[in-house]
Amino acid sequence: MSSLLPAVIIPAFIPSPSQGVWHLGPLPLRAYAICILLGIFAGYWLGRKRWVARGGSAEVLADIIMWAVPFGLVGARIYHVITDAELYFGEGKHPIDALKIWHGGLGIWGAVAFGALGAWIACRRHKVPFLAVADAMAPGIALAQVIGRFGNYFNQELFGKPTDRPWGLEIAPEHRPPGYMDFATFHPTFLYEAIWNLGVIALVILVDRRYKLGHGRAFALYVAGYTLGRAWIENLRIDTVNEFAGLRLNVWVSMVMFVLAVAYFIISLRLKPGQEDISGGPAAGGDKPSDTAADADEPADTVAETPSSEEAVPADADQPSADTAAPGGEKDAKVEAGSPTDRPRD
């Protein structure tokens, strides 16, 4: 019976994509751009769930993301062009290529830095605590990176050293760097980083659920977790980059960011324990409390004035009651003896 079953051939490597661009009439649909956009939407979806769960307004967060995303994309490209300037400027180079973002080349450090700047501006506009937004979006940023990394797979770029492991990534000859033409499969660093970031997502969510991280600590945990993995994954890559003291630039950046993130986490925990309450006010979509809010709800003619000393005392306060009044000399005697009606009122 088993001899009648068709043989299943499992390749001993990850095959390279057959294509990375599809044409819808004159419009090219690039897998790299699609992965970036899907990552943005997925990251926003996860961040929105966390923000709303804390009592924040989905509409407010949507406006913040509308600022953060374009800032982040511009920043990612700027970082890449600055740190790999030799690819675009100099003899025989074409500076216009620096604008061709669809060919790849987005630096995560620039994306996070400029994206944070855009989010900070929007938070100022809405009077929303920026660090609370950063905490809510932290695992969403990592999720966006997970999906976005598959754009490198379709572009056949940023892979690692040659390997004959079963999970080695097949790279077409035209995408292999000089000196590696005789090798067919390479470490799929895009996949390593995607899997690592899934672990970072789980770490941030679980720790946040247990300890209620606030004041930027969830974001710091994401930065520390991501840079810890990025440092060793970066050392596997063979694409040409700038190096300092024998280490790739991104390794240095990862180490510095890891130290800063851990330091911030510890210091913030000591100075500002607990978590911000965003369930009311602008963060929850409400208006900023006004100094005249109380007066606005109160009609002007209903505001009571403080009575004067004469008005505060009833007109008949000095008159004895019917039970204590006595004709003639008895009344005068009680007054002269100091009746309660002559004493100060409490």
Side-chain angles (χ1 to χ4, degrees):
M1 183 70 175
S2 60
S3 62
L4 298 178
L5 296 177
V8 178
I9 300 176
I10 301 177
F13 54 85
I14 300 175
S16 60
S18 58
Q19 63 185 103
V21 182
W22 299 268
H23 287 85
L24 187 62
L27 178 65
L29 300 178
R30 302 181 185 277
Y32 184 84
I34 293 173
C35 290
I36 296 296
L37 291 175
L38 289 177
I40 291 172
F41 283 114
Y44 167 68
W45 168 81
L46 180 57
R48 180 180 181 274
K49 287 177 64 70
R50 288 170 51 80
W51 179 254
V52 172
R54 284 191 58 180
S57 165
E59 290 75 16
V60 170
L61 184 64
D63 187 67
I64 294 173
I65 296 301
M66 291 298 292
W67 280 78
V69 168
F71 269 74
L73 291 175
V74 172
R77 189 60 177 179
I78 290 176
Y79 179 88
H80 166 73
V81 172
I82 290 176
T83 56
D84 293 288
E86 65 277 4
L87 300 177
Y88 308 102
F89 307 100
E91 186 177 356
K93 303 299 180 181
H94 304 282
I96 192 65
D97 290 342
L99 302 177
K100 298 179 179 179
I101 193 173
W102 54 87
H103 287 168
L106 294 176
I108 183 61
W109 317 114
V112 173
F114 275 67
L117 174 61
W120 178 80
I121 294 173
C123 287
R124 294 270 297 179
R125 287 165 50 88
H126 286 280
K127 298 178 175 58
V128 170
F130 167 71
L131 292 179
V133 173
D135 284 337
M137 290 302 304
I141 297 172
L143 179 59
Q145 291 176 249
V146 170
I147 300 175
R149 273 300 177 197
F150 281 84
N152 301 138
Y153 166 71
F154 284 99
N155 276 3
Q156 298 192 53
E157 61 182 0
L158 306 184
F159 43 86
K161 300 173 182 177
T163 181
D164 56 359
R165 300 288 185 180
W167 56 83
L169 174 64
E170 178 191 30
I171 297 297
E174 62 270 22
H175 294 286
R176 300 172 194 168
Y180 293 91
M181 297 303 296
D182 294 335
F183 298 94
T185 55
F186 300 79
H187 280 285
T189 51
F190 85 93
L191 185 60
Y192 297 164
E193 188 169 325
I195 294 174
W196 180 270
N197 282 339
L198 288 175
V200 172
I201 295 170
L203 174 68
V204 174
I205 291 177
L206 292 177
V207 174
D208 189 25
R209 185 177 299 171
R210 174 66 178 83
Y211 297 102
K212 300 299 181 184
L213 301 176
H215 302 284
R217 288 188 288 277
F219 184 79
L221 184 60
Y222 147 73
V223 173
Y226 169 69
T227 53
L228 185 63
R230 177 63 186 268
W232 71 266
I233 294 173
E234 184 72 20
N235 274 324
L236 291 175
R237 286 168 40 172
I238 57 176
D239 52 300
T240 302
V241 296
N242 295 316
E243 294 186 358
F244 298 94
L247 291 178
R248 295 165 65 94
L249 174 62
N250 283 329
V251 174
W252 282 110
V253 176
S254 295
M255 292 191 298
V256 171
M257 295 303 298
F258 175 81
V259 172
L260 292 177
V262 172
Y264 176 86
F265 188 97
I266 296 173
I267 295 173
S268 173
L269 187 61
R270 293 180 178 179
L271 297 180
K272 294 183 178 181
Q275 191 179 57
E276 309 97 318
D277 181 13
I278 62 170
S279 58
D287 295 331
K288 182 182 177 183
S290 172
D291 295 335
T292 59
D295 295 338
D297 296 331
E298 188 80 18
D301 57 354
T302 63
V303 179
E305 296 181 356
T306 303
S308 65
S309 57
E310 295 179 357
E311 293 173 342
V313 180
D316 59 348
D318 293 331
Q319 301 297 326
S321 63
D323 295 334
T324 60
E330 288 185 15
K331 178 179 179 181
D332 296 337
K334 288 183 180 180
V335 172
E336 291 174 1
S339 69
T341 56
D342 291 330
R343 297 172 187 168
R345 288 185 174 270
D346 289 337

